[in-house]
Coordinates of all heavy atoms in Angstrom, one line a residue:
M1 N -25.5 133.7 155.8 CA -25.5 132.5 155.0 C -24.4 132.5 153.9 O -23.6 131.6 153.8 CB -26.9 132.2 154.4 CG -26.9 130.9 153.6 SD -26.8 129.5 154.7 CE -27.7 128.3 153.8
L2 N -24.3 133.7 153.2 CA -23.4 133.9 152.1 C -22.0 133.9 152.6 O -21.1 133.3 152.1 CB -23.7 135.2 151.4 CG -23.9 135.1 150.0 CD1 -24.9 134.1 149.5 CD2 -24.1 136.4 149.3
A3 N -21.9 134.4 153.8 CA -20.5 134.5 154.5 C -20.1 133.2 154.8 O -18.8 132.8 154.7 CB -20.5 135.4 155.7
R4 N -20.9 132.3 155.2 CA -20.6 130.9 155.7 C -20.2 130.2 154.3 O -19.2 129.4 154.5 CB -21.8 130.3 156.3 CG -21.6 128.9 156.7 CD -22.9 128.3 157.3 NE -22.7 127.6 158.5 CZ -23.8 127.2 159.2 NH1 -25.0 127.5 159.0 NH2 -23.6 126.4 160.2
I5 N -20.9 130.3 153.3 CA -20.5 129.6 152.0 C -19.1 130.2 151.5 O -18.3 129.4 151.1 CB -21.6 129.9 151.0 CG1 -22.9 129.2 151.4 CG2 -21.2 129.4 149.6 CD1 -24.1 129.5 150.5
R6 N -19.0 131.4 151.6 CA -17.7 132.0 151.2 C -16.6 131.5 152.0 O -15.4 131.2 151.4 CB -17.8 133.6 151.4 CG -16.5 134.3 150.8 CD -16.6 135.8 150.9 NE -17.6 136.2 150.0 CZ -18.5 137.1 150.3 NH1 -18.7 137.5 151.5 NH2 -19.4 137.5 149.4
R7 N -16.7 131.3 153.3 CA -15.7 130.7 154.1 C -15.3 129.3 153.8 O -14.2 128.9 153.7 CB -16.0 130.9 155.6 CG -15.8 132.2 156.2 CD -15.9 132.2 157.7 NE -17.1 131.6 158.2 CZ -18.1 132.3 158.6 NH1 -18.1 133.6 158.4 NH2 -19.3 131.7 159.0
S8 N -16.5 128.5 153.5 CA -16.2 127.2 153.0 C -15.5 127.0 151.7 O -14.5 126.2 151.6 CB -17.6 126.6 152.9 OG -18.3 126.4 154.1
V9 N -15.9 127.9 150.9 CA -15.2 127.8 149.5 C -13.7 128.3 149.6 O -12.8 127.6 149.1 CB -16.0 128.7 148.5 CG1 -15.1 128.9 147.2 CG2 -17.2 128.1 148.1
T10 N -13.5 129.4 150.5 CA -12.1 129.8 150.7 C -11.4 128.7 151.3 O -10.2 128.5 151.0 CB -12.2 131.1 151.5 OG1 -12.8 132.0 150.8 CG2 -10.8 131.5 151.8
G11 N -11.9 128.0 152.2 CA -11.2 126.9 152.9 C -10.9 125.8 152.0 O -9.7 125.2 152.1
V12 N -11.7 125.4 151.1 CA -11.4 124.4 150.1 C -10.3 124.8 149.1 O -9.4 124.1 148.9 CB -12.7 124.0 149.3 CG1 -12.4 123.2 148.1 CG2 -13.7 123.3 150.2
L13 N -10.4 126.1 148.7 CA -9.3 126.5 147.9 C -8.0 126.7 148.4 O -7.0 126.3 147.9 CB -9.8 128.0 147.2 CG -10.9 127.9 146.2 CD1 -11.4 129.3 145.7 CD2 -10.6 127.0 145.0
D14 N -8.1 127.0 149.7 CA -6.8 127.1 150.5 C -6.2 125.7 150.7 O -5.0 125.5 150.6 CB -7.0 127.8 151.8 CG -7.1 129.3 151.7 OD1 -6.9 129.9 150.7 OD2 -7.6 129.9 152.7
A15 N -7.0 124.7 150.9 CA -6.6 123.3 151.1 C -6.0 122.8 149.8 O -5.1 122.0 149.8 CB -7.7 122.5 151.5
L16 N -6.5 123.3 148.6 CA -6.0 122.8 147.4 C -4.6 123.4 147.0 O -3.9 123.0 146.1 CB -7.0 123.1 146.2 CG -8.3 122.3 146.3 CD1 -9.2 122.8 145.2 CD2 -8.0 120.9 146.2
R17 N -4.2 124.5 147.6 CA -2.9 125.2 147.4 C -2.0 124.6 148.3 O -2.2 124.3 149.5 CB -3.2 126.7 147.6 CG -4.0 127.3 146.7 CD -4.0 128.9 147.1 NE -5.0 129.6 146.2 CZ -5.9 130.4 146.5 NH1 -5.9 130.7 147.8 NH2 -6.7 131.0 145.6
T18 N -0.7 124.4 147.8 CA 0.4 123.9 148.5 C 1.2 125.0 149.2 O 1.7 124.8 150.3 CB 1.3 123.0 147.7 OG1 1.8 123.8 146.7 CG2 0.5 121.8 147.2
G19 N 1.4 126.1 148.4 CA 2.2 127.2 148.9 C 3.7 126.8 149.2 O 4.4 127.4 149.9
S20 N 4.0 125.7 148.5 CA 5.5 125.2 148.8 C 6.5 125.8 147.8 O 7.6 125.4 147.8 CB 5.4 123.7 148.7 OG 5.1 123.3 147.4
D21 N 6.1 126.8 147.0 CA 7.0 127.4 146.0 C 8.1 128.1 146.8 O 7.8 128.8 147.6 CB 6.2 128.3 145.1 CG 6.9 128.7 143.9 OD1 8.0 128.0 143.6 OD2 6.5 129.6 143.2
T22 N 9.3 127.8 146.4 CA 10.5 128.4 147.0 C 11.1 129.4 146.1 O 12.2 129.9 146.5 CB 11.5 127.4 147.6 OG1 11.9 126.6 146.4 CG2 10.9 126.5 148.6
G23 N 10.7 129.7 144.9 CA 11.4 130.7 144.0 C 11.0 132.1 144.4 O 10.6 132.4 145.5
P24 N 11.5 133.0 143.6 CA 11.3 134.4 143.9 C 9.8 134.8 144.0 O 9.5 135.7 144.8 CB 11.9 135.1 142.7 CG 12.3 134.1 141.6 CD 12.1 132.8 142.3
D25 N 8.9 134.1 143.3 CA 7.5 134.4 143.4 C 6.9 133.4 144.4 O 6.6 132.3 144.0 CB 6.8 134.2 142.1 CG 5.3 134.6 142.1 OD1 4.9 135.1 143.1 OD2 4.6 134.3 141.1
T26 N 6.8 133.7 145.7 CA 6.5 132.8 146.7 C 5.0 132.7 147.1 O 4.6 132.1 148.0 CB 7.3 133.1 148.0 OG1 6.9 134.4 148.5 CG2 8.8 132.9 147.8
R27 N 4.2 133.4 146.3 CA 2.7 133.3 146.5 C 2.2 132.0 146.1 O 2.8 131.3 145.3 CB 2.0 134.4 145.8 CG 2.0 134.2 144.3 CD 1.2 135.3 143.7 NE 1.2 135.1 142.2 CZ 0.4 134.2 141.6 NH1 -0.4 133.5 142.1 NH2 0.5 134.2 140.3
A28 N 1.1 131.5 146.8 CA 0.5 130.2 146.5 C -0.2 130.3 145.1 O -0.8 131.4 144.7 CB -0.6 129.8 147.4
H29 N -0.1 129.3 144.2 CA -0.7 129.3 142.9 C -2.0 128.5 143.2 O -2.2 127.6 143.9 CB 0.1 128.5 142.0 CG 1.5 129.3 141.8 ND1 1.6 130.2 140.8 CD2 2.7 129.0 142.3 CE1 2.9 130.6 140.8 NE2 3.5 129.9 141.7
N30 N -3.0 129.0 142.4 CA -4.3 128.3 142.4 C -4.4 127.1 141.4 O -3.5 127.1 140.6 CB -5.5 129.2 142.3 CG -5.7 129.7 141.0 OD1 -5.5 129.1 139.9 ND2 -6.1 131.1 140.9
L31 N -5.3 126.3 141.5 CA -5.3 125.1 140.7 C -5.5 125.4 139.2 O -4.9 124.7 138.3 CB -6.4 124.2 141.0 CG -7.9 124.6 140.9 CD1 -8.6 123.9 139.8 CD2 -8.6 124.2 142.2
F32 N -6.2 126.5 138.8 CA -6.3 126.8 137.4 C -4.9 127.5 136.8 O -4.6 127.1 135.6 CB -7.5 127.9 137.2 CG -8.7 127.3 137.6 CD1 -9.5 127.8 138.7 CD2 -9.3 126.2 136.9 CE1 -10.6 127.2 139.1 CE2 -10.4 125.5 137.4 CZ -11.1 126.1 138.4
E33 N -4.2 128.2 137.7 CA -2.9 128.6 137.2 C -2.0 127.4 137.0 O -1.3 127.3 136.0 CB -2.2 129.5 138.3 CG -2.8 130.9 138.3 CD -2.2 131.7 139.5 OE1 -2.0 131.2 140.6 OE2 -1.9 132.9 139.1
A34 N -2.0 126.4 137.9 CA -1.2 125.2 137.8 C -1.6 124.4 136.5 O -0.8 124.0 135.8 CB -1.4 124.3 139.0
A35 N -2.9 124.3 136.3 CA -3.4 123.5 135.1 C -2.9 124.2 133.8 O -2.5 123.5 132.9 CB -4.9 123.4 135.2
A36 N -3.1 125.5 133.8 CA -2.7 126.2 132.6 C -1.1 126.1 132.3 O -0.7 125.8 131.2 CB -3.1 127.7 132.6
A37 N -0.4 126.2 133.4 CA 1.1 126.1 133.2 C 1.5 124.7 132.9 O 2.3 124.4 132.0 CB 1.7 126.5 134.6
Y38 N 0.8 123.7 133.5 CA 1.1 122.3 133.2 C 0.8 121.9 131.8 O 1.6 121.2 131.2 CB 0.3 121.4 134.3 CG 0.5 120.0 134.1 CD1 1.6 119.4 134.8 CD2 -0.3 119.2 133.4 CE1 1.9 118.0 134.7 CE2 0.0 117.8 133.3 CZ 1.0 117.2 133.9 OH 1.2 115.9 133.9
V39 N -0.5 122.2 131.4 CA -0.8 121.9 130.0 C 0.0 122.5 129.0 O 0.4 121.9 128.0 CB -2.3 122.1 129.8 CG1 -2.8 121.9 128.4 CG2 -3.2 121.1 130.7
S40 N 0.2 123.8 129.2 CA 1.1 124.5 128.1 C 2.5 123.9 128.2 O 3.2 123.8 127.1 CB 1.1 126.0 128.4 OG 1.7 126.3 129.6
A41 N 3.1 123.5 129.2 CA 4.4 123.0 129.4 C 4.4 121.6 128.8 O 5.3 121.2 128.0 CB 4.9 122.9 130.8
C42 N 3.2 120.8 128.9 CA 3.2 119.5 128.2 C 3.1 119.7 126.7 O 3.7 118.9 126.0 CB 1.9 118.7 128.7 SG 2.0 118.1 130.4
A43 N 2.4 120.7 126.3 CA 2.3 121.0 124.8 C 3.7 121.4 124.2 O 3.9 121.0 123.0 CB 1.3 122.0 124.5
E44 N 4.4 122.0 125.0 CA 5.9 122.4 124.5 C 6.9 121.4 124.9 O 8.1 121.6 124.7 CB 6.2 123.8 125.1 CG 5.2 124.9 124.6 CD 5.3 126.2 125.4 OE1 6.1 126.3 126.4 OE2 4.7 127.1 125.0
D45 N 6.6 120.3 125.5 CA 7.4 119.2 125.9 C 8.6 119.8 126.8 O 9.7 119.5 126.6 CB 8.0 118.5 124.8 CG 8.6 117.1 125.2 OD1 8.1 116.6 126.2 OD2 9.4 116.6 124.4
D46 N 8.2 120.7 127.8 CA 9.2 121.3 128.8 C 9.1 120.6 130.0 O 8.3 121.0 130.9 CB 8.9 122.8 128.8 CG 9.9 123.5 129.6 OD1 10.6 122.9 130.5 OD2 10.0 124.7 129.4
Q47 N 9.9 119.5 130.3 CA 9.7 118.7 131.6 C 10.0 119.6 132.8 O 9.3 119.4 133.8 CB 10.7 117.6 131.5 CG 10.6 116.6 132.6 CD 9.2 115.9 132.6 OE1 8.7 115.4 131.6 NE2 8.6 115.9 133.7
E48 N 10.9 120.5 132.8 CA 11.2 121.4 133.9 C 10.0 122.2 134.4 O 9.6 122.2 135.5 CB 12.4 122.3 133.6 CG 12.8 123.1 134.8 CD 14.0 124.0 134.5 OE1 15.0 123.5 133.8 OE2 14.1 125.1 134.9
R49 N 9.3 122.8 133.4 CA 8.1 123.5 133.7 C 6.9 122.5 134.1 O 6.1 122.9 135.0 CB 7.7 124.4 132.6 CG 8.5 125.6 132.4 CD 8.1 126.5 131.2 NE 6.7 126.6 131.0 CZ 6.1 126.6 129.9 NH1 6.7 126.4 128.7 NH2 4.8 126.7 129.8
I50 N 6.9 121.4 133.6 CA 5.8 120.4 133.9 C 6.0 120.0 135.4 O 5.0 120.0 136.2 CB 6.0 119.1 133.1 CG1 5.6 119.4 131.6 CG2 5.1 118.0 133.7 CD1 5.8 118.2 130.7
D51 N 7.2 119.7 135.8 CA 7.6 119.4 137.2 C 7.2 120.6 138.1 O 6.6 120.4 139.3 CB 9.0 118.9 137.3 CG 9.3 117.7 136.6 OD1 8.3 116.9 136.3 OD2 10.4 117.4 136.3
E52 N 7.6 121.7 137.7 CA 7.3 122.9 138.5 C 5.8 123.1 138.8 O 5.3 123.3 139.9 CB 7.9 124.2 137.9 CG 7.7 125.5 138.6 CD 8.2 126.7 138.0 OE1 8.7 126.5 136.9 OE2 8.0 127.7 138.6
A53 N 5.0 123.2 137.7 CA 3.6 123.3 137.8 C 2.9 122.2 138.6 O 2.0 122.5 139.3 CB 2.9 123.4 136.4
A54 N 3.5 121.0 138.4 CA 2.9 119.9 139.3 C 3.1 120.1 140.7 O 2.2 119.4 141.5 CB 3.5 118.5 138.7
G55 N 4.1 120.7 141.1 CA 4.3 120.9 142.5 C 3.5 122.1 143.2 O 3.6 122.3 144.4
W56 N 2.9 122.9 142.3 CA 2.1 123.9 142.9 C 0.8 123.6 143.6 O 0.4 124.3 144.6 CB 1.7 124.9 141.7 CG 2.9 125.7 141.1 CD1 4.1 125.8 141.6 CD2 2.8 126.5 139.9 NE1 4.9 126.5 140.7 CE2 4.1 127.0 139.7 CE3 1.8 126.8 139.0 CZ2 4.4 127.8 138.6 CZ3 2.1 127.6 138.0 CH2 3.4 128.1 137.8
V57 N 0.2 122.5 143.3 CA -1.0 122.1 144.0 C -1.0 120.6 144.1 O -0.1 119.9 143.5 CB -2.3 122.5 143.1 CG1 -2.4 124.0 143.0 CG2 -2.3 121.9 141.7
S58 N -2.0 120.0 144.7 CA -2.0 118.5 145.0 C -2.3 117.9 143.6 O -2.9 118.5 142.7 CB -3.1 118.2 146.0 OG -4.4 118.4 145.5
P59 N -2.0 116.6 143.5 CA -2.3 115.9 142.2 C -3.8 115.9 141.9 O -4.2 116.0 140.7 CB -1.8 114.5 142.5 CG -0.7 114.7 143.6 CD -1.1 115.8 144.4
E60 N -4.6 115.8 143.0 CA -6.0 115.8 142.7 C -6.5 117.2 142.2 O -7.3 117.2 141.3 CB -6.8 115.5 144.0 CG -6.5 114.1 144.5 CD -5.2 114.0 145.4 OE1 -4.6 115.1 145.7 OE2 -4.8 112.9 145.7
A61 N -6.1 118.2 142.8 CA -6.3 119.6 142.3 C -5.9 119.8 140.8 O -6.6 120.3 140.1 CB -5.8 120.6 143.3
L62 N -4.7 119.4 140.6 CA -4.2 119.5 139.2 C -5.0 118.7 138.3 O -5.3 119.2 137.2 CB -2.7 119.0 139.2 CG -2.0 119.2 137.8 CD1 -1.9 120.7 137.4 CD2 -0.6 118.6 137.9
S63 N -5.4 117.6 138.6 CA -6.3 116.7 137.8 C -7.6 117.4 137.5 O -8.1 117.5 136.3 CB -6.5 115.4 138.4 OG -7.4 114.6 137.6
F64 N -8.2 118.0 138.6 CA -9.4 118.7 138.4 C -9.2 119.9 137.4 O -10.0 120.2 136.5 CB -10.0 119.2 139.7 CG -11.1 120.1 139.6 CD1 -12.4 119.6 139.4 CD2 -11.1 121.5 139.7 CE1 -13.5 120.4 139.2 CE2 -12.1 122.3 139.6 CZ -13.4 121.8 139.4
G65 N -8.2 120.7 137.6 CA -7.9 121.8 136.8 C -7.6 121.5 135.4 O -8.1 122.2 134.4
V66 N -6.9 120.4 135.1 CA -6.6 120.0 133.7 C -8.0 119.6 133.1 O -8.2 119.9 131.9 CB -5.6 118.9 133.7 CG1 -5.6 118.2 132.3 CG2 -4.2 119.4 134.1
N67 N -8.8 118.9 133.8 CA -10.1 118.4 133.3 C -10.9 119.7 133.0 O -11.6 119.8 131.9 CB -10.8 117.6 134.3 CG -12.1 117.1 133.9 OD1 -12.2 116.4 132.7 ND2 -13.2 117.4 134.5
E68 N -10.9 120.6 133.8 CA -11.7 121.9 133.6 C -11.2 122.6 132.4 O -12.0 123.1 131.5 CB -11.8 122.8 134.9 CG -12.6 124.0 134.7 CD -14.1 123.7 134.6 OE1 -14.5 122.6 135.1 OE2 -14.8 124.6 134.2
L69 N -9.9 122.7 132.2 CA -9.3 123.3 131.1 C -9.7 122.6 129.8 O -10.0 123.3 128.8 CB -7.7 123.4 131.3 CG -7.0 124.0 130.1 CD1 -7.4 125.5 129.9 CD2 -5.4 123.9 130.4
A70 N -9.6 121.3 129.8 CA -10.0 120.5 128.6 C -11.4 120.8 128.3 O -11.8 121.0 127.0 CB -9.8 119.1 128.9
C71 N -12.4 120.8 129.2 CA -13.7 121.0 128.9 C -14.0 122.5 128.3 O -14.7 122.6 127.3 CB -14.6 120.9 130.1 SG -14.8 119.3 130.8
R72 N -13.3 123.4 129.0 CA -13.5 124.8 128.4 C -12.9 124.9 127.0 O -13.5 125.6 126.2 CB -12.8 125.9 129.3 CG -13.6 125.9 130.6 CD -12.8 126.9 131.6 NE -13.5 126.9 132.9 CZ -13.3 127.9 133.8 NH1 -12.6 128.9 133.5 NH2 -13.9 127.8 135.0
A73 N -11.7 124.2 126.8 CA -11.1 124.3 125.5 C -12.0 123.7 124.4 O -12.1 124.2 123.3 CB -9.7 123.7 125.4
V74 N -12.6 122.6 124.7 CA -13.4 121.9 123.8 C -14.6 122.7 123.5 O -15.1 122.9 122.3 CB -13.8 120.4 124.2 CG1 -14.9 119.8 123.4 CG2 -12.5 119.5 124.2
V75 N -15.2 123.3 124.5 CA -16.5 124.0 124.3 C -16.2 125.3 123.4 O -16.9 125.7 122.5 CB -17.1 124.5 125.6 CG1 -18.1 125.6 125.4 CG2 -17.7 123.3 126.3
A76 N -15.0 125.9 123.7 CA -14.6 127.1 123.0 C -14.4 126.8 121.5 O -14.7 127.4 120.5 CB -13.3 127.8 123.5
L77 N -13.6 125.6 121.2 CA -13.4 125.2 119.8 C -14.6 124.8 119.1 O -14.9 125.1 118.0 CB -12.4 124.0 119.9 CG -11.0 124.3 119.9 CD1 -10.1 123.1 120.1 CD2 -10.6 125.1 118.7
A78 N -15.6 124.2 119.8 CA -16.9 123.8 119.2 C -17.7 125.0 118.8 O -18.2 125.0 117.7 CB -17.7 122.9 120.3
R79 N -17.7 126.1 119.7 CA -18.3 127.3 119.2 C -17.8 127.9 118.1 O -18.4 128.3 117.2 CB -18.4 128.2 120.4 CG -19.3 127.9 121.6 CD -19.3 128.9 122.7 NE -20.2 128.4 123.8 CZ -20.0 128.7 125.0 NH1 -19.1 129.5 125.4 NH2 -20.9 128.3 125.9
E80 N -16.4 128.0 118.1 CA -15.6 128.6 117.0 C -15.9 127.9 115.6 O -16.0 128.4 114.6 CB -14.1 128.6 117.3 CG -13.3 129.2 116.4 CD -11.9 129.2 116.8 OE1 -11.5 129.9 117.8 OE2 -10.9 128.6 116.1
R81 N -16.0 126.5 115.8 CA -16.1 125.8 114.6 C -17.6 125.5 114.2 O -17.9 124.8 113.1 CB -15.4 124.3 114.7 CG -13.9 124.4 114.9 CD -13.4 123.1 115.0 NE -11.9 123.1 115.3 CZ -11.2 122.0 115.4 NH1 -11.8 120.8 115.5 NH2 -9.9 122.1 115.6
D82 N -18.5 125.8 115.1 CA -19.9 125.7 114.9 C -20.2 124.1 114.8 O -20.9 123.7 113.9 CB -20.5 126.4 113.8 CG -22.0 126.6 113.7 OD1 -22.5 126.5 114.9 OD2 -22.6 126.6 112.7
E83 N -19.6 123.4 115.7 CA -19.7 121.9 115.7 C -20.1 121.6 117.2 O -20.0 122.4 118.1 CB -18.4 121.2 115.3 CG -18.0 121.4 113.9 CD -16.7 120.7 113.6 OE1 -16.0 120.4 114.6 OE2 -16.4 120.7 112.4
S84 N -20.5 120.3 117.3 CA -20.7 119.8 118.7 C -19.4 119.6 119.5 O -18.4 119.2 118.8 CB -21.6 118.6 118.7 OG -20.7 117.4 118.3
P85 N -19.5 119.8 120.8 CA -18.3 119.5 121.6 C -17.8 118.0 121.4 O -16.7 117.7 121.4 CB -18.7 119.7 123.0 CG -19.8 120.7 123.0 CD -20.5 120.3 121.7
R86 N -18.7 117.1 121.2 CA -18.4 115.6 121.0 C -17.6 115.5 119.8 O -16.6 114.8 119.7 CB -19.7 114.8 121.0 CG -19.5 113.3 120.8 CD -20.7 112.6 120.8 NE -20.3 111.1 120.7 CZ -21.3 110.2 120.6 NH1 -22.6 110.6 120.5 NH2 -20.9 109.0 120.5
T87 N -18.0 116.2 118.7 CA -17.4 116.1 117.4 C -15.9 116.7 117.5 O -14.9 116.1 117.1 CB -18.1 116.9 116.3 OG1 -19.5 116.2 116.2 CG2 -17.4 116.8 115.0
V88 N -15.8 117.7 118.2 CA -14.5 118.4 118.3 C -13.6 117.6 119.2 O -12.5 117.4 118.9 CB -14.7 119.9 119.0 CG1 -13.4 120.4 119.3 CG2 -15.4 120.8 118.0
A89 N -14.1 117.0 120.3 CA -13.3 116.1 121.2 C -12.7 115.0 120.4 O -11.6 114.6 120.5 CB -14.1 115.8 122.3
R90 N -13.6 114.4 119.6 CA -13.2 113.2 118.9 C -12.2 113.5 117.8 O -11.2 112.8 117.7 CB -14.5 112.5 118.3 CG -15.4 111.8 119.4 CD -16.5 111.1 118.8 NE -16.0 109.9 118.0 CZ -15.8 108.7 118.6 NH1 -15.9 108.6 119.8 NH2 -15.3 107.7 117.8
A91 N -12.4 114.7 117.1 CA -11.4 115.1 116.1 C -10.1 115.3 116.8 O -9.0 115.0 116.2 CB -12.0 116.4 115.4
L92 N -10.1 116.1 117.9 CA -8.8 116.3 118.5 C -8.0 115.1 119.0 O -6.8 115.1 118.9 CB -9.0 117.2 119.9 CG -9.4 118.6 119.6 CD1 -9.8 119.3 120.9 CD2 -8.3 119.5 119.0
L93 N -8.7 114.0 119.3 CA -8.1 112.8 119.7 C -7.8 111.9 118.5 O -7.4 110.8 118.7 CB -9.0 112.1 120.7 CG -9.0 112.8 122.2 CD1 -10.0 112.1 123.0 CD2 -7.6 112.8 122.8
G94 N -8.3 112.3 117.3 CA -8.0 111.6 116.1 C -9.0 110.3 116.0 O -8.6 109.3 115.4
L95 N -10.1 110.4 116.7 CA -11.1 109.3 116.6 C -12.1 109.6 115.5 O -12.3 110.7 115.1 CB -11.8 109.2 117.9 CG -11.0 109.0 119.2 CD1 -12.0 109.1 120.4 CD2 -10.4 107.6 119.1
P96 N -12.6 108.5 114.9 CA -13.6 108.6 113.8 C -14.8 109.3 114.3 O -15.3 109.2 115.4 CB -13.8 107.2 113.3 CG -13.4 106.4 114.4 CD -12.3 107.1 115.2
A97 N -15.5 110.0 113.4 CA -16.8 110.6 113.6 C -17.8 109.6 114.0 O -17.8 108.5 113.4 CB -17.2 111.6 112.6
V98 N -18.8 109.8 114.8 CA -19.8 108.9 115.2 C -21.1 109.3 114.4 O -21.5 110.4 114.3 CB -20.1 108.9 116.7 CG1 -21.2 107.9 117.0 CG2 -18.8 108.6 117.4

């Protein structure tokens, strides 16, 4: 049963990878690597790296990875600040406290 689940998960992850990278590092990137590279490039306003990371996985996979990264970042900041994730998320977006 576990082997069957493992094969299913592996199949899904393989489907999310494009493997279309033609640079010196030709291994396939996973969606979390793509999300980390994409978000950090966006924060640094580096369009070349944004485009590169966006090509590593499908748009749907990248969206999922960016969402997961955002959730983890908000949770980590909330723990660090001893505040609720809602308060931290609103503060990061410049929204008034509720």
Side-chain angles (χ1 to χ4, degrees):
M1 180 70 151
L2 236 53
R4 185 185 217 167
I5 293 171
R6 184 177 292 129
R7 280 194 306 269
S8 294
V9 170
T10 301
V12 169
L13 291 177
D14 287 345
L16 294 175
R17 295 182 182 133
T18 62
S20 62
D21 194 11
T22 58
D25 180 13
T26 58
R27 69 178 179 79
H29 297 275
N30 72 40
L31 65 105
F32 297 115
E33 288 176 315
Y38 181 84
V39 170
S40 64
C42 287
E44 296 169 356
D45 198 26
D46 185 338
Q47 189 61 47
E48 187 176 318
R49 284 181 39 225
I50 290 169
D51 295 340
E52 179 184 359
W56 290 350
V57 295
S58 70
E60 297 82 10
L62 183 61
S63 177
F64 174 80
V66 168
N67 182 59
E68 185 66 22
L69 178 60
C71 290
R72 291 179 187 197
V74 167
V75 168
L77 280 173
R79 287 179 181 155
E80 184 178 295
R81 296 178 182 183
D82 197 27
E83 297 177 345
S84 74
R86 181 179 184 185
T87 300
V88 170
R90 293 183 66 82
L92 287 171
L93 293 171
L95 299 171
V98 179

